[in-house]
Amino acid sequence: MKKKVLVTGGAGFLGSHLCERLLNEGNEVICLDNYFTGQKENLIHLLNNPYFELVRHDITMPFYIEVDEIYNLACPASPIHYQYNPIKTVKTSVMGSVNMLGLAKRIKAKILQASTSEVYGDPEVHPQTEDYWGHVNPVGRRSCYDEGKRCAETLFVDYHLQNKVRIKIVRIFNTYGPRMHPNDGRVVSNFIVQALKNEDITVYGDGSQTRSFQYCDDLIEGMIRMMATGDDFTGPVNIGNPGEFTILELAEKVIQLTGSRAKIIFKPLPQDDPMQRRPDISLAKEKLDWEPVVNLDEGLEKTIDYFKKIVRV
Ligand code: NAD
Ligand code: UDP
Ligand code: UDP
């Protein structure tokens, strides 16, 4: 059945893939974005579609509309961007969530929150399951993002308990793919751009910290499946690829796949940088019948092809 769907942060990396997928499935899509880290170029191919509407709006301000479903993705995701104006980052997660939850409550829409593996902080439990409460610094450089997202989860749960809002929470682990911003500072985009330009590959720390990298299409599939679950399942549910790699391994893989002459150099490790991260996805398998299908080499190749088109070398 055709639905009317609101996507906040729809001009960003993940939001643009989600808008595209929802339109391809025959839905009507309204995208809200303030273009802080997103860009119209990510959606330019959708602008002629009469079922797509792009609205410049900041979700820290109220917004009135009638829709069936809301995906709340608005929030800068890369450390350099969320640390640029940390107060605004907290406002986006907290005031933005209040507004979108108030909207969902009034119109009785289902609402999904794009939460993050950062709610686990620098985890002491490995791999991370949803019942782990996390190990988070409340007063560090990452806190605006981590605590903002944690408070957003709290708001979602309380709107559900107090106002019976139909909520869904997904905890997204590191996700990469085409349309990542070339300058957003995240590791996959940094390494690919550096490799294509034959510039030094900047590994922070000694590169022994780990991450689990998920290709964007796998995440979008997981989010759509989560939205489709019955009202009794609210999450939170981990959505990520359990394949775990050190950052040094990633650097070597990117050099190999691009055939680059770039050399690896080491830079200081940023404050509170988590040492290891890997999702336990048993709950997603059980409740969503979902698991990722794109492996790291395959996903990196698609991402490298994208960056070859947009990066001047
Ligand atoms: P992104 O920066 O590309 O997209 C975020 C979008 O939100 C941008 O288009 C930005 O302009 C918009 N935005 C920011 N503040 C806004 C505001 N106040 N009002 C309206 N729009 C606003 O990042 P992304 O990687 O696409 O991430 C999307 C969501 O997924 C974020 O909520 C992020 O926290 C979450 N997430 C992403 C990852 C990942 O690895 N990519 C991991 C965990 C969680
Ligand atoms: N809100 C909105 N759109 C709506 C309904 C509410 O943006 O359609 C915002 C509004 O700013 C409100 C907030 O959501 O302050 C929280 O709404 P709620 O009903 O929970 O609380 P209120 O502040 O109205 O008592
Ligand atoms: N990182 C790196 N070089 C870079 C960018 C990031 O070594 O040019 C490291 C960073 O310190 C972290 C990991 O890669 O350990 C993932 O960083 P990213 O910002 O992509 O995501 P997050 O730390 O939020 O998981």
Side-chain angles (χ1 to χ4, degrees):
M1 204 184 60
K2 195 186 181 79
K3 286 169 295 193
K4 220 169 146 181
V5 186
L6 181 69
V7 178
T8 78
F13 157 49
L14 295 174
S16 63
H17 287 284
L18 180 62
C19 289
E20 192 174 288
R21 167 79 189 260
L22 290 165
L23 285 168
N24 285 342
E25 288 182 354
N27 301 297
E28 192 173 333
V29 175
I30 300 101
C31 161
L32 294 191
D33 208 292
N34 69 351
Y35 303 118
F36 174 46
T37 52
Q39 29 185 0
K40 275 192 193 158
E41 283 71 26
N42 288 338
L43 298 167
I44 210 123
H45 58 300
L46 305 178
L47 293 179
N48 284 332
N49 187 328
Y51 296 106
F52 182 65
E53 220 174 307
L54 177 55
V55 183
R56 180 188 291 265
H57 179 79
D58 187 318
I59 63 157
T60 60
M61 301 299 193
F63 189 74
Y64 292 81
I65 192 171
E66 318 298 315
V67 291
D68 304 302
E69 293 177 348
I70 304 167
Y71 288 84
N72 189 36
L73 273 67
C75 185
S78 116
I80 54 167
H81 285 137
Y82 68 64
Q83 288 166 7
Y84 171 76
N85 184 345
I87 297 170
K88 179 72 190 202
T89 301
V90 176
K91 286 182 182 171
T92 296
S93 276
V94 177
M95 294 161 65
S97 292
V98 168
N99 286 330
M100 292 305 109
L101 285 161
L103 169 66
K105 173 182 138 190
R106 181 179 63 78
I107 60 176
K108 300 190 171 44
K110 262 196 215 182
I111 179 165
L112 180 144
Q113 168 67 357
S115 190
T116 167
S117 52
E118 285 286 319
V119 301
Y120 302 123
D122 190 1
E124 292 158 311
V125 166
H126 199 68
Q128 293 82 53
T129 47
E130 290 83 354
D131 55 7
Y132 175 50
W133 291 355
H135 177 228
V136 180
N137 179 358
V139 290
R141 295 287 284 136
R142 284 184 174 246
S143 310
C144 60
Y145 184 72
D146 298 12
E147 298 288 16
K149 288 282 187 179
R150 284 167 69 95
C151 183
E153 287 198 9
T154 308
L155 284 163
F156 269 70
V157 168
D158 286 336
Y159 266 82
H160 175 66
L161 293 175
Q162 202 171 317
N163 296 320
K164 308 213 166 28
V165 173
R166 296 185 292 156
I167 63 149
K168 307 280 171 195
I169 300 171
V170 294
R171 291 186 179 151
I172 303 169
F173 284 65
N174 295 62
T175 306
Y176 68 95
R179 303 200 199 119
M180 288 184 96
H181 197 288
N183 300 329
D184 87 354
R186 280 184 274 189
V187 69
V188 174
S189 43
N190 266 11
F191 285 3
I192 292 178
V193 171
Q194 290 163 344
L196 291 176
K197 292 184 167 174
N198 291 306
E199 288 172 355
D200 291 342
I201 308 263
T202 53
V203 168
Y204 302 158
D206 62 5
S208 64
Q209 71 273 34
T210 69
R211 293 293 186 276
S212 298
F213 299 102
Q214 158 172 251
Y215 188 65
C216 52
D217 291 358
D218 282 333
L219 167 71
I220 302 301
E221 179 65 33
M223 290 193 357
I224 300 256
R225 286 188 191 212
M226 179 59 175
M227 188 61 112
T229 54
D231 290 347
D232 55 331
F233 184 59
T234 59
V237 61
N238 290 338
I239 304 282
N241 190 321
E244 185 181 357
F245 297 85
T246 67
I247 294 304
L248 201 53
E249 282 172 333
L250 178 73
E252 284 158 358
K253 222 177 230 310
V254 169
I255 291 176
Q256 178 218 324
L257 291 172
T258 51
S260 173
R261 298 188 305 276
K263 302 257 173 315
I264 293 173
I265 60 162
F266 294 90
K267 293 213 161 174
L269 191 67
Q271 187 200 29
D272 294 339
D273 200 278
M275 267 316 289
Q276 54 179 12
R277 189 181 283 158
R278 172 156 63 96
D280 181 319
I281 58 165
S282 315
L283 188 65
K285 279 186 184 160
E286 180 199 328
K287 297 285 186 182
L288 314 178
D289 190 23
W290 172 92
E291 61 182 319
V293 295
V294 182
N295 69 34
L296 185 57
D297 281 60
E298 215 183 315
L300 283 177
E301 275 170 14
K302 291 179 200 226
T303 313
I304 290 167
D305 285 345
Y306 168 79
F307 278 107
K308 275 185 182 161
K309 286 187 215 129
I310 65 154
V311 173
R312 220 184 283 257
V313 291

